[in-house]
Amino acid sequence: MQENISIQAFNTFGIDVKARYYFSLKTLTQLEELASLPAIHSSRLVLGGGSNVLFTRDFNGIVIHNQLRGIEVVEEDDDTIWVKAAAGENWHSFVLHCIENNWCGIENLSLIPGKVGASPMQNIGAYGVEIKDVFHELEAWNIQKEQVDTFDREDCQFGYRESVFKHDLKNQYLILSVTFRLSKRPNVNVSYGTIEEVLNTMGVENPGIKEVSNAIIAIRQSKLPDPAEIGNAGSFFKNPVVSDNLASQLISRYPHMPNYKVSESEVKIPAGWLIEQAGWKGKRFNNYGVHEKQALVLVNYGGAKGQEIVDLSHEIQRDVQEKFGIIINPEVNFI
Ligand code: FAD
Ligand code: EPU
């Protein structure tokens, strides 16, 4: 364990804060040592790739940096393969590994930053797929009880950018591995957004999972900032889900407002559109601001404080609520 170390390099917003204690978890045998540390009973934070957190101050507790590695096939039949990945595996490398083996199901989740262990936390999603669609089970260490528990899909209570680990079980578990149920009979999903259009411009007629992944990588790179160049944590807010009634009123005021029906009585509205219409897109305040190509992404151009970005997010929330009567909530975890 190390003390008082900077975790700037371990969060994609690039916020320069210190952790009082820092523990790098590389093997399961270290769990016993971790459990014996007095610091484990103070504030604790399990950190993966740090791509969905915003540090607002020094962390006066223990940061457990998950670096468990390993991928194994646990079961297979003619159609399906169950693949278990350790929590510290890089998500995108895992996706590429599955594509290379022709295991289908997570190619639409290409290029999402972070580690496998965080993927169930908010049920990561993109381009028409969420991990709940391919999730089999996960193993997690109950930090208080010092035991490994297994969670199936129902136990995880997945929702849009939600799971039980963000609510009832917050800070209680360290996810160790996730097992995915993938298909050996590739069946691509290209119906979302501009995937088909991009495949056409790439001259691809009968796309396989590799081509779909390449198209999604191209779309993502065209609008999302690369954290290696500009600090960010992807979408800062979740897309709000509003009543049919409110959506109809807004559509009559703004006929071009994008909107997606999610149930009989609810409609999802892109927060990026609302923030752009409210005039925030591309706004820069010293060394932080709203990304110029995607208004849902707040950025640190270098040296910003986490609290400055939180304050900006509050101003945006207030403005969107005043202009559209819609409350937008953060997706990013404030620490
Ligand atoms: P971290 O940021 O390290 O942690 C996130 C949360 O999970 C924290 O609360 C942390 O305590 C907890 N946690 C992490 N690992 C564990 C574990 N092993 N056990 C228990 N708790 C844990 N997300 C999407 O859903 N879809 C996208 O398309 C998408 N695009 C993105 C694009 C960019 C450019 C960026 C920067 C982010 C994007 N994200 C997206 C958000 C982010 O990449 C995901 O949420 C990712 O799963 C976070 O992984 P991480 O390892 O970096 O988690
Ligand atoms: N839009 C604007 N202005 C903007 C941004 C978006 O008008 O500045 C409009 C777009 O024109 C489009 C709509 O909003 O009509 C949706 O935009 P986009 O396809 O870029 O997706 P998003 O809703 O902004 C969501 C996820 C992303 C995910 C993509 C693709 C959330 C909060 N975000 O973004 O996830 O990659 O869809 O599926 O659901 C993340 O969670 O960090 C993340 C990046």
Side-chain angles (χ1 to χ4, degrees), residues 10 12 45-53 66 87 111-119 121-127 161 171 173-176 220 224-227 232-235 331 333 335:
F10 304 144
T12 62
L45 174 74
V46 182
L47 195 62
S51 65
N52 210 19
V53 286
N66 194 323
L111 212 63
I112 296 181
K115 304 276 175 78
V116 166
S119 63
M121 289 297 298
Q122 69 159 13
N123 176 29
I124 56 168
Y127 298 93
R161 299 296 191 267
N171 289 331
Y173 278 94
L174 196 172
I175 295 169
L176 301 172
R220 295 180 66 97
L224 290 168
D226 178 355
N232 77 93
S235 300
E331 173 188 302
N333 302 282
I335 312 289

Side-chain angles (χ1 to χ4, degrees), residues 12-13 51-54 112-113 122 125-127 160-161 166 192 220 223-225 227 231-240 268 270-273 275 290-291 294-299 309 313 328-334:
T12 62
F13 249 123
S51 65
N52 210 19
V53 286
L54 177 59
I112 296 181
Q122 69 159 13
Y127 298 93
Y160 164 59
R161 299 296 191 267
K166 282 179 80 174
Y192 189 98
R220 295 180 66 97
K223 49 184 162 186
L224 290 168
N232 77 93
S235 300
F236 197 91
F237 301 99
K238 291 191 269 194
N239 287 326
K268 193 184 266 185
W273 185 87
I275 298 168
V290 181
H291 189 51
Q294 229 298 1
L296 198 47
V297 179
L298 304 192
V299 293
I309 294 170
S313 76
I328 53 172
N329 292 310
E331 173 188 302
V332 171
N333 302 282
F334 296 172

Side-chain angles (χ1 to χ4, degrees), residues 97-249:
H97 176 81
C98 294
I99 291 171
E100 272 155 30
N101 285 284
N102 220 17
W103 302 332
C104 167
I106 52 174
E107 54 284 353
N108 290 38
L109 303 177
S110 294
L111 212 63
I112 296 181
K115 304 276 175 78
V116 166
S119 63
M121 289 297 298
Q122 69 159 13
N123 176 29
I124 56 168
Y127 298 93
V129 173
E130 292 181 326
I131 67 138
K132 72 165 173 34
D133 305 329
V134 289
F135 179 91
H136 176 59
E137 65 180 27
L138 65 78
E139 287 176 328
W141 173 251
N142 184 317
I143 298 172
Q144 216 62 47
K145 294 188 181 153
E146 298 177 30
Q147 68 185 34
V148 176
D149 291 335
T150 302
F151 292 76
D152 66 16
R153 193 160 72 155
E154 207 175 307
D155 298 328
C156 292
Q157 296 175 25
F158 290 126
Y160 164 59
R161 299 296 191 267
E162 292 293 357
S163 78
V164 71
F165 301 103
K166 282 179 80 174
H167 297 282
D168 294 359
L169 301 182
K170 196 176 162 117
N171 289 331
Q172 291 182 39
Y173 278 94
L174 196 172
I175 295 169
L176 301 172
S177 68
V178 186
T179 303
F180 300 92
R181 184 181 187 279
L182 302 174
S183 170
K184 288 162 81 175
R185 299 191 189 280
N187 175 20
V188 296
N189 173 352
V190 294
S191 57
Y192 189 98
T194 54
I195 304 177
E196 264 183 329
E197 211 176 299
V198 171
L199 284 165
N200 282 340
T201 54
M202 286 173 151
V204 178
E205 275 182 17
N206 294 307
I209 57 177
K210 181 72 186 161
E211 287 76 27
V212 170
S213 168
N214 287 341
I216 285 168
I217 289 173
I219 299 171
R220 295 180 66 97
Q221 285 175 334
S222 72
K223 49 184 162 186
L224 290 168
D226 178 355
E229 286 162 17
I230 304 176
N232 77 93
S235 300
F236 197 91
F237 301 99
K238 291 191 269 194
N239 287 326
V241 174
V242 306
S243 70
D244 225 2
N245 216 355
L246 175 57
S248 306
Q249 288 172 30

